[in-house]
Amino acid sequence: MTQSASHPFPGETVECPLMLFPHVLVFPYSTKPIQISTPEQQAAIELAMTTTEIVALGVLEAGRALTNDASSVPQLEHGILARISIAQQNAEGQTQSVVLRGLTRAEWELLPAEDRAPRRVRATAIPDRYPSPAAIDRQRRRSELLDLYRECVPRKDRFVVEGLVQNQLSLGCLSDILAQGSRLPSALSTEFLKLTNVDHRSDLLLDHLRLLQRQPGGYAPLFSEN
């Protein structure tokens, strides 16, 4: 087993604290600020900042409530590994908010609980899959996604994404960044998270953007849902 201090490569594993949310918080290659709102989140963030700076972001099963015991909460056995890129503290030295940068999809197993410590997982990074032969023209799909995204999402909400997509990104990377900026509904985000097949993932995003295109006012900016 290897543990990277910077970015887990496909197949690498990392032990890190687990944070659970009722929705997908951030996708790989994207960033999101969150407010630390519970003692459990506080403990997980503090542990991550003193070790790898990586946290596992899990998703609760639909309709489930969060409890203090992560082992008893029905959840997906995979999610996102994210790095803490910025942390802001209050006068008492407690972390109030962080900016998380999504690194990779991952699957994990819960590690044994330790008294008064946040739950941790042993997570394995999952790579994107590019089937061969490709089911789609990937270069054309990139253009389709970008054109629809720019048509459906207001310019003021595209600022960060536009700066990222100037480069010739892979289709998997582009799809995740645009999905983050497109504010996918919760159920759709969870489905999108599960897809390691990049062609299928881009299909799902394309369908969502086409739906927004057909529904005036269909794009609704969301505030942080943590």
Side-chain angles (χ1 to χ4, degrees), residues 1-224:
M1 179 183 77
T2 58
Q3 181 163 306
S4 171
S6 57
H7 191 301
F9 293 99
E12 275 193 314
T13 62
V14 60
E15 294 182 5
C16 59
L18 171 66
M19 299 175 70
L20 292 175
F21 297 90
H23 55 273
V24 179
L25 195 69
V26 63
F27 290 114
Y29 319 107
S30 300
T31 60
K32 184 168 185 176
I34 69 165
Q35 294 293 123
I36 305 303
S37 57
T38 68
E40 291 73 31
Q41 291 178 356
Q42 181 80 38
I45 290 294
E46 297 296 343
L47 176 59
M49 290 176 63
T50 59
T51 53
T52 62
E53 298 184 347
I54 292 175
V55 290
L57 305 177
V59 182
L60 299 172
E61 288 186 358
R64 300 292 184 171
L66 184 60
T67 71
N68 292 334
D69 181 9
S71 64
S72 68
V73 180
Q75 59 184 278
L76 302 182
E77 293 179 349
H78 58 270
I80 297 292
L81 294 182
R83 174 170 296 285
I84 302 169
S85 60
I86 300 174
Q88 292 186 333
Q89 297 180 327
N90 59 22
E92 288 72 40
Q94 293 180 315
T95 303
Q96 289 183 309
S97 63
V98 295
V99 175
L100 297 177
R101 177 168 60 89
L103 299 176
T104 179
R105 285 169 174 78
E107 57 187 4
W108 52 63
E109 59 176 325
L110 276 172
L111 294 174
E114 299 177 9
D115 187 37
R116 299 192 179 186
R119 288 310 303 261
R120 297 183 305 127
V121 297
R122 180 177 294 114
T124 303
I126 302 175
D128 283 343
R129 290 196 302 114
Y130 289 86
S132 180
I136 59 173
D137 181 334
R138 292 180 182 136
Q139 190 59 35
R140 179 178 178 183
R141 176 58 54 82
R142 291 181 79 264
S143 297
E144 288 178 316
L145 291 175
L146 277 170
D147 289 346
L148 275 170
Y149 177 80
R150 287 166 175 154
E151 180 179 344
C152 296
V153 177
R155 181 183 295 273
K156 64 182 179 64
D157 295 319
R158 300 199 315 253
F159 177 75
V160 174
V161 171
E162 287 289 359
L164 293 171
V165 300
Q166 296 304 314
N167 300 318
Q168 191 71 8
L169 303 175
S170 68
L171 181 59
C173 177
L174 178 69
S175 295
D176 281 335
I177 291 173
L178 296 186
Q180 186 77 26
S182 301
R183 310 292 200 252
L184 299 182
S186 182
L188 193 59
S189 292
T190 301
E191 184 178 354
F192 191 85
L193 171 65
K194 295 177 183 179
L195 292 174
T196 58
N197 183 316
V198 170
D199 294 346
H200 292 172
R201 203 156 79 219
S202 71
D203 284 342
L204 194 67
L205 178 59
L206 187 67
D207 289 343
H208 172 67
L209 291 174
R210 283 174 172 166
L211 181 62
L212 291 183
Q213 183 188 39
R214 294 194 297 268
Q215 296 178 349
Y219 174 83
L222 300 179
F223 298 98
S224 178

